[in-house]
Amino acid sequence: MRPLLLLLLATAHGLDTLDYTPTLANDESLGGRLTGSTFVLEQPRCVFEMDNTSDIWLVVATREGREHFNDSAQPGMPEWSFHRFLTNSSSYLTLGAMLYHYPCPKPSGELTVLRVGSETSCIDDTSVPNCNGPLPNPGPYWVKFLALNASGPIATTQWFGPIELKKAQPIPSSSGAGVVRSGAMIAITAILSVLLAVLLAALLATLCSSEACGVGSFRPDAASIRRYNTHHVYDQPAARL
Ligand SMILES: *[C@@H]1O[C@H](CO)[C@@H](O)[C@H](O)[C@H]1NC(C)=O
Ligand SMILES: *[C@@H]1O[C@H](CO)[C@@H](O)[C@H](O)[C@H]1NC(C)=O
Ligand SMILES: *[C@@H]1O[C@H](CO)[C@@H](O)[C@H](O)[C@H]1NC(C)=O
Ligand SMILES: *[C@@H]1O[C@H](CO)[C@@H](O)[C@H](O)[C@H]1NC(C)=O
């Protein structure tokens, strides 16, 4: 009885709040359920019971946008556009579709997911306010579905979140790799300086053997150069790379 009563009360205000919470797609085979700028949700099948020409919209919000979201949001208005979200707002509406696009029960074998952030062609096109453009940063984001008809909002789901996207991985990705890398740099520097020394020695040797320098004691010892070379290159742990 209680849920029914609550439902009736909510309906009196023209807006049903449904128990349904959106979820990330559970099909691991999709590949990239979460990327740096997109995420994949299950379609809201068998969630809304209303006129099948009602519009179902996805609300994407930041933490702040979730707190301040007004269910009277009007899709297509600049205030709730993807482009405003990028610069100056905390929520937007996208992926509007009439309810009959989400038939219930879902036909078996049909792909029933929504990829949020997959549309790149309208990123700069403010004439497409409900652009499903790539999300600007790793988030976190919250989402819910909102159903509207010509009279206004008629139903909304629960919020789902936080959704944290993949962060761009700095290279090297771990301090261990950083150590290896700087080790490699040291090894390269060492090799270069050894090569330079060898070249210099060879130059001196050439000069001296042509008797231009005239002093025998400047003649470098070829064996000691080779030992120096070996020592410096192979003592570096990173040289194992
Ligand atoms: C939500 O928006 C509607 C229409 O723009 C407005 O009348 C209402 O006061 C707003 N509600 C809140 C809580 O801001
Ligand atoms: C951001 O939006 C508010 C209203 O929501 C507006 O007053 C302000 O001028 C906007 N700022 C920019 C930089 O667009
Ligand atoms: C909408 O639902 C009605 C019956 O409820 C059905 O006859 C009609 O074909 C549906 N429209 C679409 C586009 O599915
Ligand atoms: C919108 O939906 C509400 C609730 O289902 C209904 O009472 C109202 O008549 C509908 N408005 C239109 C224009 O279909």
Side-chain angles (χ1 to χ4, degrees):
M1 278 312 284
R2 197 104 159 277
L4 187 63
L5 191 65
L6 287 176
L7 194 71
L8 288 174
L9 282 175
T11 314
H13 292 102
L15 183 70
D16 282 348
T17 301
L18 308 174
D19 277 341
Y20 177 77
T21 305
T23 66
L24 287 177
N26 55 27
D27 186 351
E28 297 291 342
S29 69
L30 285 169
R33 212 163 57 132
L34 289 174
T35 70
S37 59
T38 67
F39 54 91
V40 184
L41 295 175
E42 289 291 337
Q43 291 178 0
R45 298 289 182 118
C46 311
V47 170
F48 299 97
E49 286 175 20
M50 55 187 61
D51 183 338
N52 57 13
T53 60
S54 301
D55 283 320
I56 311 297
W57 288 86
L58 181 73
V59 184
V60 181
T62 61
R63 186 188 304 275
E64 187 202 352
R66 174 206 163 163
E67 276 160 23
H68 298 122
F69 186 73
N70 184 336
D71 288 317
S72 300
Q74 287 169 325
M77 300 297 282
E79 292 93 306
W80 294 283
S81 70
F82 170 76
H83 306 92
R84 187 72 70 90
F85 182 72
L86 291 180
T87 55
N88 188 26
S89 80
S90 51
S91 60
Y92 68 100
L93 298 175
T94 189
L95 288 167
M98 283 192 189
L99 183 53
Y100 66 80
H101 287 293
Y102 299 130
C104 174
K106 57 183 170 193
S108 63
E110 196 173 292
L111 202 61
T112 56
V113 298
L114 296 170
R115 186 177 287 275
V116 181
S118 65
E119 217 178 340
T120 51
S121 57
C122 50
I123 298 175
D124 298 319
D125 187 352
T126 51
S127 72
V128 189
N130 38 29
C131 178
N132 178 25
L135 293 150
N137 57 53
Y141 299 103
W142 278 260
V143 293
K144 74 170 186 174
F145 291 101
L146 182 66
L148 306 125
N149 68 8
S151 318
I154 46 183
T156 178
T157 67
Q158 305 293 312
W159 287 99
F160 171 70
I163 301 168
E164 295 194 34
L165 303 186
K166 293 192 172 163
K167 292 186 175 63
Q169 300 270 312
I171 302 168
S173 59
S174 72
S175 55
V179 168
V180 168
R181 164 151 306 196
S182 59
M185 293 298 263
I186 292 168
I188 289 168
T189 313
I191 291 168
L192 285 180
S193 14
V194 168
L195 279 179
L196 203 65
V198 170
L199 276 176
L200 208 62
L203 190 68
L204 278 176
T206 316
L207 288 178
C208 288
S209 63
S210 66
E211 291 180 357
C213 69
V215 188
S217 61
F218 271 103
R219 190 179 300 253
D221 180 348
S224 78
I225 290 167
R226 215 178 299 125
R227 224 178 302 125
Y228 175 74
N229 183 350
T230 312
H231 174 79
H232 274 264
V233 174
Y234 292 102
D235 262 7
Q236 299 295 334
R240 283 197 300 271
L241 284 178

